[in-house]
Amino acid sequence: MKQLARWGKAAEDAVLVLLLGAMIVLACSQIVLRNFFDAGLIWGDEALRLMVLWLALAGAVAASRADKHIAIDVMSRFLPPWGRRLTRVATNLFTAVVCGCVAWFAADFVLQAREYEDELLGGLPAWWFQIIMPIAFALMSWRYLVFVILDIAGRRSESERSVSDA
Amino acid sequence: MIVFGALLLLLAIFGAPLFALIAASALYSYSREDIDLSALAIEFFSIAEMPVLLAIPLFTFAGYLLSASKAPSRLVRLTDALLGWMPGGLAIVSLAACAFFTAFTGASGVTIIALGAILYPALKQSGYEPKFNLGLVTSAGSLGLLFAPSLPLILYGIVAGISIDTLFRAGVLPGMLMLAMLAGWCLWVNRDQKQTLKRFSWKTVGSALWESKWELPLPIVVLGGIYSGYFAVSEAAAVTALYALIVEVIVLREISFKQLPDLMRESMLLVGGILVILGMSLASTNIMIDTGVPQKLLGWVSGFVDTQTSFLILLLLFLLVLGAILDIFSALVLVVPLILPVAAQYNIDPVHLGMVFLSAMQLGYLTPPVGLNLFIASYRFERPITEVYSATFPFLLILLLSVIVITFWPQLSMALV
């Protein structure tokens, strides 16, 4: 389990670093090409937009691991520890179910796109790029399910999730 | 429907992630309207169809890079050399430096962490009262939201469909007003205080300038490029990210290659968190517009509000409450599409609405129960949260006054547009 977590985090980091690095390089070379050579990669702008989607979802998966998604959470700090654990199980279970649903319907969307042979980047199958959506939401669903299991088993200490964590 | 809404609300106040709540409500509305639920994914995918969004990861990353380097202390030294000779100088230095830094790093609380740590002890050393310092540093941490290239400004432009250059010009005067009113307050409070004033010297300015030589071109290129129309916003973001990367990692070597993956990860956590909410709210907003929620809202509002002034009063009250419970990014993507058509009926320009919205939401950083800056300051300076509340309160009142001026004086927002 620990091993799995380490591999998972390394994979997330690798994806984030590669995407962000590629994005900076590509965006800057587009500027140079446009201004100095009056040219540009035809697929460049579209690729950059797809990278934003991928980066957003990879970042969202990473945010799930760190339990750092934007939330309102005004009540938790008034609860005793057992109450906090209870509401955490409820909200995390809810999130796991919602992410699961989103992953399911996103997979449906990808299958449809594959069936209709939608294309992106001048000829590549669109589903290659869209498949990140079901994958990312499935991973997030899994992540929140792990939180639920750990909380029920009492294996998640308070310090792992402090309310005022900046 | 009511039961479902109440359930979501309950989950929300106990800390369920906002994106999941929005997704659940979108899926629920789709199924009520008999729309294929995979439409949610189609809406979400439109994140890949908005060119301006590219600016968000790039500016955020650049901001994280700059905060992790020694750029904050160089910025404070330079502002101090330029403004430190005035009475109340260091207080004004703090305001100016924070506003500048927040504009570049995007109001995520990094300003308090990066600059507060330098300013808080420096203020104390110059003889300002501890309570004043705490309030000043906490409230200055969200100044600068209205200045280019702040993330909330960009996001408002995306959501409202307004050119971002226009917003960048519109924000200048309202942002200056907020700064000037806070500066005036700082001078007034400290009028009898004995402080050790520094003498202005060209030599100090020169050496502070020399020290910041690598960062100085950044605001000039970015702001100059954007305001002159030479760069698109996303291009300016790309240049900023690459330049900050080269300067801090290769030239100055203040950030090692080893630190980079962690910095990238940290900054992309925030980006992922914001964009996944944006993606879900694209879906939920569309279904709300299709089912006529803005019209119903307008019908309800026009029942007891008939003039522009009374609408603005109502809007302001609503935004103050909203800002107290919701963070600025979520509020932007969720609420702006719904109030834009309503505000248009009362002849409010979307640019002016943006200034009102952002400046009012800025107060949300400082209002209990969830004001982010209050918690960060309490955590960072190890003061009890109640003390931070009371220290920040006078500053909050001044800022509230400035928001009222911005709301009822539209020319201020429209003068440079």
Side-chain angles (χ1 to χ4, degrees):
Chain A
M1 193 76 185
K2 281 237 168 80
Q3 191 77 14
L4 194 67
R6 210 167 27 231
W7 280 95
K9 188 172 178 292
E12 277 168 28
D13 280 353
V15 171
L16 287 173
V17 170
L18 281 177
L19 276 172
L20 187 56
M23 181 186 262
I24 296 172
V25 172
L26 182 57
C28 289
S29 36
Q30 285 288 80
I31 300 173
V32 173
L33 285 174
R34 189 166 311 148
N35 287 310
F36 297 101
F37 302 97
D38 213 12
L41 303 168
I42 304 166
W43 48 267
D45 289 340
E46 197 183 359
L48 280 170
R49 279 184 275 132
L50 288 169
M51 281 182 195
V52 173
L53 176 78
W54 277 65
L55 205 52
L57 286 168
V61 172
S64 305
R65 177 184 299 274
D67 203 359
K68 284 246 169 98
H69 271 289
I70 298 175
I72 298 179
D73 198 15
V74 280
M75 296 303 289
S76 295
R77 74 195 85 173
F78 303 115
L79 293 174
W82 63 265
R84 234 175 293 174
R85 205 165 122 194
L86 189 75
T87 55
R88 230 164 36 210
V89 168
T91 53
N92 286 340
L93 189 62
F94 163 78
T95 311
V97 171
V98 173
C99 287
C101 292
V102 175
W104 177 264
F105 295 117
D108 195 30
F109 163 68
V110 173
L111 288 176
Q112 285 175 35
R114 204 179 135 184
E115 203 168 308
Y116 296 129
E117 296 178 2
D118 291 350
E119 287 180 353
L120 283 171
L121 286 176
L124 297 176
W127 68 269
W128 288 7
F129 304 97
Q130 296 165 336
I131 198 143
I132 182 74
M133 290 195 289
I135 294 176
F137 282 102
L139 284 173
M140 281 151 83
S141 179
W142 158 253
R143 178 59 42 208
Y144 280 95
L145 213 57
V146 169
F147 286 156
V148 172
I149 295 166
L150 289 181
D151 257 330
I152 289 175
R155 293 264 299 280
R156 204 153 164 249
S157 60
E158 276 301 305
S159 61
E160 276 179 65
R161 190 186 190 279
S162 63
V163 179
S164 61
D165 188 8
Chain B
M1 173 105 180
I2 292 168
V3 179
F4 184 76
L7 188 71
L8 285 190
L9 202 65
L10 200 66
L11 284 161
I13 61 171
F14 283 109
L18 273 173
F19 83 88
L21 295 161
I22 302 167
S25 88
L27 287 174
Y28 179 77
S29 319
Y30 280 170
S31 65
R32 270 172 64 98
E33 299 289 317
D34 278 331
I35 301 172
D36 185 359
L37 294 180
S38 64
L40 180 80
I42 300 175
E43 297 287 350
F44 194 95
F45 190 71
S46 51
I47 284 191
E49 281 148 14
M50 301 184 199
V52 214
L53 281 185
L54 182 59
I56 292 181
L58 294 172
F59 269 132
T60 310
F61 174 58
Y64 270 72
L65 267 178
L66 290 175
S67 351
S69 71
K70 295 199 183 81
S73 63
R74 282 191 288 270
L75 174 62
V76 171
R77 240 195 91 182
L78 179 60
T79 347
D80 192 32
L82 290 169
L83 303 171
W85 53 272
M86 296 194 296
L90 195 59
I92 294 171
V93 168
S94 312
L95 293 172
C98 283
F100 185 79
F101 199 71
T102 308
F104 263 80
T105 57
S108 53
V110 282
T111 305
I112 296 182
I113 296 173
L115 280 180
I118 306 163
L119 292 169
Y120 190 61
L123 283 161
K124 192 175 161 196
Q125 211 176 22
S126 304
Y128 292 90
E129 290 219 31
K131 198 174 163 185
F132 171 81
N133 301 341
L134 188 62
L136 177 67
V137 175
T138 310
S139 40
S142 58
L143 274 175
L145 234 72
L146 296 178
F147 295 128
S150 93
L151 280 188
L153 262 181
I154 296 177
L155 204 54
Y156 181 83
I158 293 170
V159 175
I162 305 172
S163 122
I164 292 170
D165 322 5
T166 310
L167 286 172
F168 281 176
R169 281 198 299 278
V172 175
L173 292 179
M176 292 292 213
L177 176 79
M178 291 189 127
L179 257 180
M181 285 177 69
L182 276 187
W185 165 252
C186 290
L187 290 179
W188 172 256
V189 172
N190 294 298
R191 63 196 180 282
D192 303 325
Q193 283 274 326
K194 284 225 187 329
Q195 303 142 14
T196 40
L197 287 187
K198 289 175 194 135
R199 206 168 285 154
F200 180 82
S201 107
W202 283 109
K203 219 180 126 203
T204 347
V205 172
S207 79
L209 277 175
W210 181 247
E211 212 184 52
S212 326
K213 59 181 178 299
W214 287 106
E215 276 110 1
L216 278 178
L218 202 52
I220 299 169
V221 169
V222 171
L223 298 181
I226 293 174
Y227 283 118
S228 68
Y230 189 75
F231 281 143
V233 178
S234 55
E235 291 178 326
V239 171
T240 309
L242 184 68
Y243 186 86
L245 195 63
I246 291 174
V247 166
E248 310 300 346
V249 180
I250 297 174
V251 179
L252 297 172
R253 295 172 187 246
E254 286 170 358
I255 294 168
S256 66
F257 276 102
K258 263 196 186 151
Q259 278 171 281
L260 268 184
D262 274 342
L263 267 176
M264 288 181 157
R265 182 188 174 88
E266 275 306 304
S267 57
M268 290 308 112
L269 280 188
L270 178 70
V271 171
I274 296 172
L275 290 187
V276 81
I277 290 181
L278 174 67
M280 291 304 173
S281 71
L282 287 172
S284 81
T285 306
N286 261 3
I287 185 82
M288 279 199 247
I289 289 173
D290 284 351
T291 52
V293 173
Q295 282 86 337
K296 283 178 207 154
L297 192 66
L298 179 64
W300 179 75
V301 169
S302 60
F304 50 97
V305 165
D306 45 6
T307 64
Q308 195 191 48
T309 313
S310 46
F311 173 74
L312 283 174
I313 295 173
L314 184 74
L315 177 72
L316 194 55
L317 290 174
F318 167 71
L319 291 179
L320 293 175
V321 175
L322 185 73
I325 50 173
L326 216 58
D327 76 283
I328 193 163
F329 298 114
S330 321
L332 268 171
V333 296
L334 277 177
V335 178
V336 167
L338 299 182
I339 58 173
L340 261 177
V342 182
Q345 290 296 315
Y346 291 93
N347 287 322
I348 294 164
D349 193 283
V351 174
H352 177 220
L353 181 72
M355 296 304 126
V356 175
F357 193 93
L358 294 175
S359 60
M361 292 306 292
Q362 181 182 329
L363 296 185
Y365 279 96
L366 305 172
T367 44
V370 287
L372 183 66
N373 281 11
L374 298 169
F375 289 106
I376 295 178
S378 155
Y379 173 82
R380 190 72 188 70
F381 306 120
E382 295 171 352
R383 309 305 311 169
I385 189 81
T386 44
E387 191 184 320
V388 185
Y389 283 156
S390 69
T392 316
F393 192 67
F395 294 91
L396 181 66
L397 287 184
I398 301 291
L399 283 175
L400 177 62
L401 203 61
S402 71
V403 175
I404 293 174
V405 175
I406 292 169
T407 308
F408 295 101
W409 191 16
Q411 290 81 358
L412 191 68
S413 309
M414 307 302 293
L416 298 180
V417 173

